[in-house]
Amino acid sequence: VQVVESGGDLVQPGGSLRLSCAASGFTLDGYTVGWFRQAPGKEREAISCIHINTGSTQYADSVKGRFTISRDNAKTTVYLQMNSLKLGDTAVYYCLADTWFSACEYGTNNWGKGTLVTVSS
């Protein structure tokens, strides 16, 4: 299931950014969509996920209270609203549409290009 990330940018500490994860040619109905990120020199980590049908969500402790995941009514796009951004949020952000376990924890062996978020003053 192919999804494409967008919305990455350069933002100052304390700023906000919204990332999008869009499905191409199909809906995300029945899938779980997860956001992962990989900072320079670090392993990729799962940060948030949402089940498209139930709306159930999960967040990593590192982003809880600052990031919000949501989906559009057409079930074709998932958003990650990122507020109160910190220097440590700098990373390439990836999204994945799959089962709950894969999208929320395990990840995949076939990542997309991701979108770069740089938090810097």
Side-chain angles (χ1 to χ4, degrees):
V1 176
Q2 186 173 6
V3 289
V4 179
E5 311 91 344
S6 64
D9 205 344
L10 171 64
V11 62
Q12 292 186 342
S16 297
L17 205 58
R18 189 177 80 162
L19 305 183
S20 298
C21 174
S24 177
F26 63 96
T27 72
L28 296 166
D29 196 20
Y31 288 97
T32 297
V33 175
W35 284 97
F36 292 72
R37 69 184 181 186
Q38 187 166 22
K42 295 187 177 180
E43 293 187 356
R44 201 183 323 253
E45 64 169 330
I47 57 173
S48 186
C49 59
I50 183 168
H51 190 283
I52 296 300
N53 291 29
T54 68
S56 296
T57 60
Q58 182 170 292
Y59 295 93
D61 288 342
S62 58
V63 305
K64 200 172 294 182
R66 300 188 298 123
F67 291 10
T68 303
I69 193 169
S70 63
R71 67 195 191 286
D72 69 345
N73 290 333
K75 298 181 180 180
T76 60
T77 305
V78 167
Y79 303 101
L80 185 69
Q81 177 67 42
M82 306 186 296
N83 298 329
S84 303
L85 283 162
K86 304 176 181 180
L87 297 177
D89 294 318
T90 295
V92 178
Y93 285 70
Y94 303 86
C95 67
L96 168 66
D98 209 309
T99 63
W100 178 269
F101 178 69
S102 292
C104 295
E105 297 181 33
Y106 182 75
T108 181
N109 291 326
N110 186 26
W111 295 100
K113 294 182 179 180
T115 187
L116 176 63
V117 173
T118 303
V119 183
S120 176
S121 55

